[in-house]
């Protein structure tokens, strides 16, 4: 009982932290009530979202090395299964956007949960503003279910949306890297988080786009306020299509 209560408490704490602000959209509210008894998410077709036409795509994998507290963290970005989310992250890395930004939210108690960063304001409310258009860049919620040929966009299919057993391909196992967002599904921008433990109750509600392959001990040592000293694409840069 204590373990279940602790995990429930942690989920409440962190889900609030992953939100970037904003009100619950009618779409999210209706999904929750409509799907509350669903055991397996229905397959959702890819939305015809004009927003996606101008977003970077990662057509294949890429490797990013992030340096925190003087030590490297190697991250494998999965552009095969998360091309838009992965492309957005790799593009921001190549721009040098993350260099010098802090981890503004780190939750390790009562259980290891996430280390969240990527906000240029350092407040948990900011995101990337394209210097060319002067407009914020947002990426749609991108989830690929097992058995799907392509990811689905713009619709949460996890427990927060009322599904009890989301069969996602990229799950929130320890070492996953995923995008933070507001309650609006298509509101992710630059904020990301590392999963400090297996947190599968976020599967289908937040987009995982890669995994730490080396340096998990460095991730586990991140403290609130620690800075990203640098982030560089070391392999697969040619897979980024703008």
């Amino acid at each position: 009982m204590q373990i279940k209560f602790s995990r429930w408490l942690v989920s409440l704490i962190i889900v609030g932290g992953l939100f970037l602000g904003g009100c619950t959209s009618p779409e999210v509210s209706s999904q929750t009530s409509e799907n509350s008894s669903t055991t397996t998410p229905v397959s959702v077709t890819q939305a015809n979202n004009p927003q996606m036409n101008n977003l970077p795509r990662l057509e294949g994998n890429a490797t990013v090395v992030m340096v925190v507290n003087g030590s490297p963290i190697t991250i494998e970005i999965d552009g095969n299964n998360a091309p838009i989310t992965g492309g957005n992250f790799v593009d921001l890395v190549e721009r040098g956007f993350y260099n010098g930004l802090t981890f503004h939210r780190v939750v390790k108690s009562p259980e290891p949960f996430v280390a969240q960063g990527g906000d240029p304001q350092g407040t948990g409310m900011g995101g990337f503003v394209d210097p060319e258009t002067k407009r914020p860049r947002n990426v749609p919620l991108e989830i690929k279910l097992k058995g799907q040929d392509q990811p689905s966009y713009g619709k949460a299919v996890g427990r927060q949306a009322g599904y009890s057993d989301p069969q996602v391909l990229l799950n929130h196992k320890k070492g996953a890297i995923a995008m933070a967002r507001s309650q609006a599904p298509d509101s992710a921008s630059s904020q990301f988080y590392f999963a400090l433990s297996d947190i599968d109750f976020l599967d289908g509600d937040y987009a995982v786009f890669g995994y730490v392959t080396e340096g998990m001990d460095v991730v586990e040592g991140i403290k609130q306020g620690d800075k990203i000293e640098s982030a560089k694409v070391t392999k697969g840069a040619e897979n980024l299509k703008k």
Side-chain angles (χ1 to χ4, degrees):
M1 178 62 74
Q2 183 61 37
I3 293 176
K4 292 182 178 179
F5 175 77
S6 178
R7 196 162 182 77
W8 171 82
L9 178 60
V10 170
S11 69
L12 287 182
I13 293 171
I14 197 56
V15 167
L18 296 177
F19 284 160
L20 310 183
C23 301
T24 303
S25 67
E27 179 185 1
V28 173
S29 299
S30 63
Q31 286 175 1
T32 302
S33 59
E34 178 184 349
N35 301 323
S36 58
S37 61
T38 305
T39 57
T40 304
V42 296
S43 178
V44 274
T45 58
Q46 180 171 332
N48 183 18
N49 190 340
Q51 174 193 27
M52 291 172 55
N53 296 334
N54 298 319
L55 294 175
R57 296 181 64 93
L58 186 64
E59 298 178 354
N61 288 359
T63 303
V64 169
V65 175
M66 183 179 292
V67 177
V68 180
N69 293 324
S71 298
I73 302 165
T74 303
I75 312 162
E76 188 74 9
I77 309 300
D78 190 343
N80 291 311
N81 296 305
I84 298 297
T85 314
N88 174 68
F89 183 79
V90 170
D91 177 64
L92 293 179
V93 169
E94 287 211 316
R95 290 172 180 265
F97 175 81
Y98 290 117
N99 298 345
L101 299 189
T102 62
F103 285 90
H104 61 273
R105 184 175 179 85
V106 178
V107 179
K108 298 182 179 180
S109 178
E111 295 178 5
F113 205 80
V114 304
Q116 182 175 340
D119 175 12
Q121 299 179 12
T123 62
M125 298 296 289
F128 173 68
V129 177
D130 192 315
E132 295 182 5
T133 65
K134 311 299 183 185
R135 301 183 64 179
R137 179 202 285 174
N138 294 107
V139 295
L141 178 62
E142 181 178 52
I143 303 292
K144 189 172 183 180
L145 299 175
K146 294 177 180 178
Q148 281 187 330
D149 293 330
Q150 300 293 330
S152 300
Y153 296 91
K155 184 178 181 181
V157 292
R159 290 169 175 83
Q160 294 177 43
Y163 295 103
S164 61
D165 187 24
Q167 296 295 305
V168 302
L169 192 61
L170 301 178
N171 62 358
H172 280 80
K173 65 182 181 181
K174 182 178 179 178
I177 183 171
M179 294 301 291
R181 63 173 179 84
S182 76
Q183 293 184 21
D186 297 347
S187 58
S189 179
S190 62
Q191 291 189 44
F192 67 91
Y193 58 91
F194 290 115
L196 301 179
S197 62
D198 295 343
I199 47 176
D200 58 0
F201 53 85
L202 295 183
D203 287 352
D205 290 309
Y206 297 88
V208 172
F209 59 93
Y211 297 94
V212 173
T213 57
E214 294 182 45
M216 192 60 205
D217 58 326
V218 182
V219 175
E220 292 174 313
I222 292 173
K223 302 180 297 296
Q224 188 165 316
D226 284 349
K227 289 186 177 182
I228 300 170
E229 296 168 25
S230 65
K232 295 181 180 179
V233 181
T234 60
K235 185 178 179 181
E238 68 278 5
N239 294 329
L240 180 65
K241 311 300 179 183
K242 300 185 180 181

